[in-house]
Each structure stands twice: as C-alpha cells, then as structure tokens.
Amino acid sequence: MRDEASVDRGAYPDVVTPWDDPDWRRDALAWAERGLAVRGWTGVRRVAVRVRPWSVLVRMSVVGGPDVWFKANPPGSAFEAGLTEALARWVPGHVLEPLAVDTERGWSLLPDGGTLFRDAPGAGVGAWEQALQQYATVQRALCSRVEEIDRLGVPDARTTVLPEVFDRVVEENAALDADTRAALRALRPRVVGWCEELAALGIPDSLDHADLHDGQLFAPEPGRFTFFDWGDAAVSHPFCSLFVPLNSAVERYGQQALPRLRDAYLDAWTGMGVTPAELRRAAVLARHLGAIGRACSWARLFPTALRGLTDVAGAGGAQSLRELLSDPARNEAPGAGR
C-alpha cells in the first residue's frame, strides 16, 4: 500500500493510539488491503489518516474503485463493527453496509457514504425533520432486535437498569467536584422516578445512537439519509436519542424549532396505544436522561489514550451529568401542551 497521507490528530497531537504501533498499523492495513482485494480492488493508496482518542480512520483510494474507509474502535466500542454489519441486514438502506468487519478486533472496512448532512445543500430544520422521522422508523424496527443487539456487546442502558448506570458514572467520574457529586447522588430518587414513568408509558427500549449530530449521517440525495458511527450506541429508551440533536437544534435554530423536530420524530411512534401528550412527556424525560448515555461514552477511548486524557474525558462526562441537575421542564418545547 502506497503511503501518501499525513496524519490528522486534531486537538490531540500527543495522545498515543494503536496507530503509533508499527506492528498494529501493518496488520490493520494488511487486513484492509485483503478485504479490498477480495472485491478485485488493487493499487491501494492511503489518502488521509484521522487519529482520535476514540477511533482511527484511514481513507483509501483504489484503482478502478471508490474511496473506502478503514475504522478501528477501542475496546469500549469494539461492538460497532458487529453492530454495523447487523444493522445492514436488519435495516438495509438506512445505514452503511460494511465491506468487511473483524468483530474481535473492532475493525471495519466501509464504503464512502457521500455527502455529510452538515455539508448538504438545504440542511435546515425541514431536512432535520425528515432525518429524525427516518431515524425513528429505524429505531421502531429495531425494538424487536434488542436481545440480538445485546448479544453483540452493545452496552445495556435500558430503562430498568439506567439508575444503576447513573450510579456508576457518577461514582467513577473523577472530574466531578464534591458539591456536584453530592447533588447528583441526591438526584437519584428522581432519576428512578423518571425511569419508572418512562417504562409505564409503554414505549419499548431500542437502539440509541447517543451522538446523532449533523456529522453522523450522510445525505446521498434529498429526503434520504444514511446513519453511521455507532460507537457511542447503547440499548436504551429510544427517545434518549433526542438529547444530542434537539440540544444542537436549540443552539443553531433557537427554541422555536423544537416543536417541529420533536413532533417529526414522535410521528413514527404513533399507533402504539400511547396518546400524543404521553409521547411528548416521554420525549421530555428521555431527552433529559440522554445525558447519562453521553457521560458513559466519554470513557470509550483507547486505553493508551485514556491514560493521557483522564482529565479531558472526565470533564466531558461531568458536563453531561450536570445537565441532569436542571429541570426537565426546560426541555418542554413551546406548544408542548397543545
């Protein structure tokens, strides 16, 4: 494989990842090259390398073929390779179909998905409505696959166990000051109550992407989207997925965008014997509890990177946990009572 690529380390120039190990690098690239050769693609050339504490990405071009991506996950999110492969079978057309996976090592070989949503023309509130509708349809289809998703090693953050997940991240996060940790511990009865209320509303647990922002989906054509990057995922209440996109929407479009985006997402969950008011209440609670999933994902780094980023990872998780101390009512979109 010809190497013509520089290494993009972003804001983490000194962090050590497996890419820095020549033996690992040789094995990984040889595996990718074999996967391409099976498809008759040769003349592989590295175009770009992107190294982060949570992944290694290598973009490669091949003679007579499209660009492809090699991705390596750390142990905490190694499940992504198998999950991506399974999702391509379960919800084809909605996710990237991998060219090859190594589930033991957390390696994936992926096609180029086209234009990122954030770079697509007209990627405004209306397009986000369509994306959230499609994503919710995918989640509803996956409700019956929860046990299979569990067996792939995807973390369990179901409504019934979420209080225990909350306990763990609160106690393990070294970046929390004493007052914040005490406030979170005191919040536990409310967390339990929110989870019990969610469970009583009857929406089943599903797959939560847990980081669904505008750089985590492709827009290959108007009105159609391809979801990818499942390394932060968990089995949880599906509405927990609203934490990232709705919080981002407030920053970008203002609070007035929330009714449209929330209702577009909830539309896929009608017809389950749950009233519109109950769906909106579930969205408020689950969006609030989605902060727990974000706090968990900060620990899914390469072990060598984690040793050098303990403060950064802890601070990221702590920031998410502090979101729980606010009143969930602030997540109530304008017009929620209609």
Side-chain angles (χ1 to χ4, degrees):
M1 179 183 293
R2 287 187 293 152
D3 184 3
E4 301 178 11
S6 59
V7 179
D8 169 15
R9 296 180 181 271
Y12 309 95
D14 300 322
V15 167
V16 177
T17 70
W19 181 258
D20 300 294
D21 179 342
D23 292 336
W24 183 96
R25 190 165 63 242
R26 183 192 61 245
D27 290 346
L29 295 175
W31 175 84
E33 198 161 1
R34 289 194 299 272
L36 295 172
V38 167
R39 295 174 177 266
W41 293 337
T42 58
V44 182
R45 178 174 61 86
R46 261 182 269 168
V47 177
V49 181
R50 181 179 182 273
V51 175
R52 298 292 186 269
W54 51 85
S55 68
V56 171
L57 285 172
V58 182
R59 185 172 185 169
M60 297 172 286
S61 68
V62 296
V63 174
D67 282 1
V68 297
W69 293 83
F70 165 81
K71 181 174 184 178
N73 290 83
S77 61
F79 63 82
E80 185 182 2
L83 177 61
T84 300
E85 184 179 50
L87 290 175
R89 298 194 308 271
W90 297 335
V91 286
H94 297 288
V95 298
L96 284 180
E97 180 179 351
L99 304 171
V101 299
D102 184 323
T103 56
E104 293 298 319
R105 292 186 285 192
W107 293 353
S108 306
L109 193 60
L110 302 162
D112 192 298
T115 303
L116 281 174
F117 180 59
R118 65 165 53 134
D119 300 326
V125 175
W128 258 119
E129 285 183 283
Q130 296 174 312
L132 288 173
Q133 285 176 329
Q134 182 182 329
Y135 174 70
T137 300
V138 168
Q139 285 186 298
R140 186 160 178 179
L142 293 173
C143 288
S144 62
R145 302 281 188 178
V146 161
E147 298 303 324
E148 294 169 88
I149 295 171
D150 257 343
R151 289 195 289 273
L152 293 172
V154 178
D156 186 358
R158 296 185 225 203
T159 311
T160 52
V161 303
L162 199 55
E164 285 69 36
V165 176
F166 168 78
D167 290 341
R168 188 182 74 248
V169 294
V170 168
E171 296 309 315
E172 292 180 355
N173 191 302
L176 291 171
D177 61 76
D179 290 344
T180 302
R181 195 184 309 278
L184 287 166
R185 287 170 176 164
L187 186 69
R188 191 184 195 278
R190 296 195 70 192
V191 170
V192 172
W194 293 331
C195 290
E196 290 175 346
E197 185 178 351
L198 269 180
L201 289 172
I203 301 296
D205 291 315
S206 184
L207 184 65
D208 170 18
H209 184 286
D211 194 23
L212 191 63
H213 58 72
D214 58 4
Q216 305 284 44
L217 61 158
F218 295 108
E221 60 185 59
R224 187 170 72 84
F225 307 92
T226 306
F227 304 98
F228 72 101
D229 203 348
W230 299 90
D232 291 325
V235 174
S236 190
H237 193 286
F239 296 4
C240 287
S241 288
L242 293 172
F243 179 77
V244 171
L246 292 193
N247 287 4
S248 298
V250 170
E251 294 178 7
R252 184 166 183 178
Y253 306 114
Q255 190 80 6
Q256 66 274 11
L258 291 188
R260 289 177 59 184
L261 298 179
R262 175 206 62 200
D263 291 346
Y265 173 84
L266 293 177
D267 184 64
W269 299 95
T270 58
M272 300 185 70
V274 183
T275 68
E278 289 172 332
L279 285 174
R280 289 193 292 267
R281 175 60 178 169
V284 168
L285 294 175
R287 177 186 167 196
H288 196 63
L289 290 167
I292 300 174
R294 289 303 303 143
C296 289
S297 68
W298 276 99
R300 298 182 200 173
L301 308 179
F302 289 111
T304 50
L306 186 59
R307 287 196 291 271
L309 281 177
T310 300
D311 292 343
V312 174
Q319 181 178 352
S320 296
L321 289 171
R322 290 188 192 98
E323 293 273 341
L324 290 166
L325 296 173
S326 63
D327 188 340
R330 75 182 180 90
N331 291 335
E332 196 78 41
R338 288 194 303 229

